[in-house]
Amino acid sequence: MTEDTKPEFAEVTHERSFSRRGFLRNGLSVVGAMTACVGALSPLRELDGDDIPSVEKFLQRHYKEMNGTEMASALERIRREVKKRWDIDPVVRDVRAKDGVEFVYALNLSRCIGCRKCVHACVEENNQSRSPEIQYIRVLEMPRGTTDIEKGNHHYDRPTVPDDDHFYMPIQCHQCADAPCVKVCPVEATWTEKDGITVIDYDWCIGCRYCEAACPYWARRFNYTKPEIPAADINPEMSYLSNRPREKGVMEKCTFCLHRTREGKMPACLEVCPTGARKFGNVLDPDSEVSQILKNKRVFVLKEEVGTLPRFFYYFDERYPRTEGGLDGEGETK
Amino acid sequence: MSGTNLGVSGIFFALAAWFFLAPATDPYPSSKPVRAITPEDISTAPRRVRMTEPPGIGEGAFRLSCQECHKLFPSDRDVRVRLSQHEDIHLNHGLNSWCFNCHSLEDRNKLVLEKDEEIGFDRVEELCAKCHGTVYRDWERGMHGRTNGYWDTSAGEAERLVCTQCHDPHSPAYSSYEPLPGPNTLRMGEPLQDGHDERKRNPLMQWRGQSGQESGHEPTQADHESTLAPHSEDEE
């Protein structure tokens, strides 16, 4: 445009190597570009100290490579961080797997009534983010007659449960013996322990979410932002591999409450289950409840065809749940 | 050339202004649960209190057990009449509709097994086993009923709950619960607040609402949520 209308003027300006007008125009462009660069970096204003890892954390080694002193200082650092953020004194420990123990979970679909108590007891026990909401257990309301989880709905909201035309199928981490999430991790931040629990070193995770994509059971959760937990809701009994507070940008998952179960206790989801649908124990002990269930009940695993060898078994032992208003006779149907 | 420079610098300035002046965005919409979870919601206490002693009336030294009255008014085993007492007890136990199937005729402080063998209230599971043999067998092996506490009995005590801690013996069908709130994964906030339909803001909700929902559905308080999940209704 400018060249077409005033070519002789443009030529003249061009011949002069340094004009006032040219200086101003070029200068404006440069200043504008620099301002835009600074502006583009302006989200850095929102960074606070917690977003930058401490030198200590940055230099911390992988869980499996840490010796006793290094682990002690890592636990001390976690204790300090919790104290600073929530002003409570937690008990942070590193609870190790025991020999001769392999954990198995069994869930009786005939007894589950879909009350979602397990979901919220888990959130409470494992210090999951309340906002945004992170939950390890997803309770699917399934139409009777199929176990196709694509037909399930986890947003059900009824005045009362159970509903006579549905059954309820809670899904959480299946602690697979051949876990796809472990195989895809590019930095070995997740692995299966000798008692069968798949764990994550939250300080080693880079947040690539490959494991989330690999998991056929939707069992892994990502911290998109800084987890928000009210100080009053923090569970101060923490362990390195399970329920210590997580950071923004790392994965987390169900660990069968390893800080409880490795010390002989039942996981929180089982403790709260009002119907006894949830069963947990050591499968290497032939008299344990789960061993008895595997021997005597018709158990199945979810998505058997994907070959993940889950340690989480489902079973039915009745045709219909016995709820209020239903018939109570043995073997009778509507 | 200079005009181009001017244009480019204008774009740069506009960008810079936008970067600085654009409001700080929340990178991840809030997804708070619909309501707060109270300790009662996730209480691990048994649903019912275990009765190890027969019930009675009065307190302390003035306590009267069942038999104190019943010994004055003996019942006839073979005459079945509607009770004029105990009207608060509604027997809804299937085919088991006779008091003396479970309660002792002679001593009302006792329960009764086969062949009139009397047992105390603390052995109620043996009474239930009279009819529910398969369930009792499962319960003995830990496959039915709740086990709380420790799975590793060398580390602590496993608490086995008995039949009556979950089931009302007079109406044993397991009663229903109000479910705790579900996941707020679509981050819809409070449903339908102040007449403002949150669904309109979420394209996924719009799509679901158009494609999935069939007609003839009673508008209930669950209506909002069932819109999210056409599958649950499709199968009926």
Side-chain angles (χ1 to χ4, degrees):
Chain A
M1 244 348 220
T2 320
E3 281 98 342
D4 289 342
T5 49
K6 296 173 183 173
E8 70 289 341
F9 181 69
E11 270 169 37
V12 170
T13 330
H14 205 71
E15 278 168 14
R16 290 165 67 179
S17 59
F18 200 74
S19 73
R20 183 171 175 276
R21 184 166 295 190
F23 172 76
L24 282 176
R25 281 178 178 165
N26 291 334
L28 264 179
S29 305
V30 171
V31 170
M34 285 169 69
T35 324
C37 281
V38 173
L41 293 173
S42 66
L44 290 174
R45 285 176 302 180
E46 290 163 26
L47 269 186
D48 57 19
D50 293 344
D51 290 327
I52 303 160
S54 63
V55 179
E56 194 184 351
K57 186 176 171 186
F58 188 75
L59 295 177
Q60 183 182 310
R61 294 206 284 173
H62 188 277
Y63 176 82
K64 290 182 183 172
E65 293 174 337
M66 270 191 276
N67 61 31
T69 10
E70 286 169 332
M71 176 50 79
S73 67
L75 296 178
E76 183 53 38
R77 173 183 61 77
I78 295 163
R79 207 170 288 130
R80 274 202 316 271
E81 286 170 0
V82 172
K83 174 79 179 165
K84 186 183 162 210
R85 178 155 182 213
W86 288 284
D87 195 30
I88 55 166
D89 289 303
V91 182
V92 193
R93 295 174 306 153
D94 172 33
V95 192
R96 300 267 172 163
K98 281 186 193 152
D99 287 320
V101 174
E102 183 174 346
F103 291 123
V104 152
Y105 217 116
L107 202 149
N108 189 344
L109 296 171
S110 300
R111 303 291 169 200
C112 179
I113 56 169
C115 64
R116 294 203 186 101
K117 284 180 188 288
C118 51
V119 176
H120 294 281
C122 169
V123 168
E124 194 79 21
E125 176 69 32
N126 289 298
N127 291 321
Q128 276 131 273
S129 173
R130 308 303 202 274
S131 177
E133 201 174 57
I134 289 188
Q135 298 173 345
Y136 295 163
I137 305 174
R138 191 190 301 250
V139 185
L140 293 181
E141 185 177 72
M142 305 278 291
R144 291 202 170 274
T146 179
T147 52
D148 178 5
I149 51 179
E150 298 292 325
K151 299 219 164 50
N153 161 31
H154 65 253
H155 285 290
Y156 65 89
D157 183 18
R158 298 178 183 280
T160 59
V161 284
D163 178 62
D164 283 344
D165 298 323
H166 294 89
F167 71 95
Y168 297 85
M169 184 182 230
I171 299 179
Q172 62 205 76
C173 175
H174 281 31
Q175 316 292 357
C176 306
D178 192 11
C181 54
V182 170
K183 284 190 244 177
V184 297
C185 182
V187 294
E188 292 182 41
T190 183
W191 66 94
T192 304
E193 299 255 286
K194 63 182 175 185
D195 58 1
I197 298 176
T198 297
V199 294
I200 303 170
D201 184 347
Y202 307 120
D203 293 332
W204 204 259
C205 175
I206 56 171
C208 69
R209 299 174 63 209
Y210 279 23
C211 54
E212 189 183 13
C215 176
Y217 307 108
W218 317 308
R220 287 181 168 254
R221 304 285 181 269
F222 184 63
N223 285 284
Y224 283 95
T225 184
K226 191 170 184 173
E228 290 295 331
I229 312 165
D233 290 343
I234 292 276
N235 174 11
E237 295 287 328
M238 296 175 185
S239 91
Y240 186 94
L241 287 176
S242 61
N243 65 340
R244 68 181 165 113
R246 277 73 69 182
E247 292 297 322
K248 176 163 81 180
V250 301
M251 297 302 303
E252 58 178 288
K253 67 184 280 294
C254 161
T255 59
F256 279 176
C257 287
L258 64 81
H259 51 283
R260 296 172 62 91
T261 51
R262 282 182 176 173
E263 300 193 324
K265 290 185 199 160
M266 293 289 192
C269 49
L270 184 146
E271 284 282 352
V272 81
C273 179
T275 67
R278 290 172 167 273
K279 292 287 169 189
F280 177 85
N282 179 11
V283 77
L284 302 182
D285 171 9
D287 297 325
S288 68
E289 293 182 349
V290 285
S291 295
Q292 289 295 319
I293 288 163
L294 295 186
K295 259 180 239 161
N296 294 299
K297 296 287 182 185
R298 287 174 294 177
V299 298
F300 69 96
V301 294
L302 210 53
K303 298 193 181 179
E304 187 185 4
E305 68 279 9
V306 297
T308 49
L309 307 177
R311 290 188 180 85
F312 198 101
F313 297 86
Y314 294 95
Y315 63 105
F316 289 94
D317 60 3
E318 267 189 58
R319 193 153 176 210
Y320 288 106
R322 297 180 172 194
T323 53
E324 263 173 349
L327 284 172
D328 193 48
E330 196 76 50
E332 284 176 357
T333 55
K334 286 185 192 174
Chain B
M1 285 309 237
S2 321
T4 322
N5 273 355
L6 202 61
V8 167
S9 70
I11 291 170
F12 278 143
F13 272 116
L15 268 176
W18 185 76
F19 282 141
F20 272 116
L21 299 177
T25 50
D26 183 0
Y28 195 83
S30 166
S31 65
K32 286 181 181 141
V34 176
R35 70 172 175 89
I37 304 299
T38 64
E40 291 75 47
D41 287 332
I42 50 172
S43 161
T44 59
R47 205 163 186 194
R48 294 170 48 83
V49 179
R50 181 178 186 175
M51 195 184 280
T52 52
E53 294 290 318
I57 51 172
E59 288 298 324
F62 300 100
R63 184 177 172 80
L64 294 172
S65 70
C66 309
Q67 188 62 8
E68 304 287 339
C69 290
H70 279 282
K71 70 184 173 193
L72 304 175
F73 310 104
S75 305
D76 190 330
R77 180 185 287 272
D78 298 320
V79 179
R80 302 177 72 166
V81 292
R82 193 163 192 86
L83 289 180
S84 54
Q85 301 294 320
H86 297 308
E87 284 177 331
D88 55 325
I89 296 174
H90 299 285
L91 190 58
N92 180 20
H93 197 145
L95 299 173
N96 178 18
S97 57
W98 193 38
C99 308
F100 302 121
N101 282 345
C102 300
H103 294 280
S104 168
L105 180 69
E106 282 77 31
D107 183 355
R108 221 54 61 80
N109 289 348
K110 299 284 186 185
L111 303 171
V112 64
L113 297 181
E114 291 102 334
K115 304 201 175 67
D116 295 335
E117 186 195 334
E118 290 178 344
I119 55 168
F121 276 64
D122 54 338
R123 288 166 63 194
V124 67
E125 62 275 10
E126 296 173 45
L127 171 70
C128 302
K130 277 206 299 188
C131 298
H132 304 281
T134 54
V135 176
Y136 180 68
R137 184 196 62 202
D138 282 0
W139 177 81
E140 275 188 311
R141 294 174 179 175
M143 303 193 292
H144 178 103
R146 287 177 68 174
T147 306
N148 286 23
Y150 287 78
W151 63 266
D152 181 3
T153 43
S154 65
E157 200 181 333
E159 191 197 350
R160 294 284 293 125
L161 268 58
V162 300
C163 317
T164 52
Q165 285 178 282
C166 296
H167 302 279
D168 179 347
H170 295 118
S171 180
Y174 199 82
S175 53
S176 52
Y177 266 106
E178 180 191 345
L180 295 185
N184 195 5
T185 46
L186 294 180
R187 296 183 283 285
M188 297 307 298
E190 297 284 329
L192 306 176
Q193 233 179 9
D194 304 328
H196 176 73
D197 195 341
E198 291 274 336
R199 279 173 285 190
K200 286 185 183 138
R201 289 196 345 220
N202 188 319
L204 183 59
M205 291 293 285
Q206 285 180 345
W207 174 77
R208 289 272 190 141
Q210 282 161 10
S211 66
Q213 197 63 15
E214 77 291 308
S215 56
H217 180 63
E218 284 283 310
T220 61
Q221 72 176 80
D223 202 34
H224 169 72
E225 288 295 318
S226 59
T227 315
L228 290 168
H231 292 309
S232 67
E233 308 294 326
D234 284 346
E235 297 303 314
E236 291 172 1

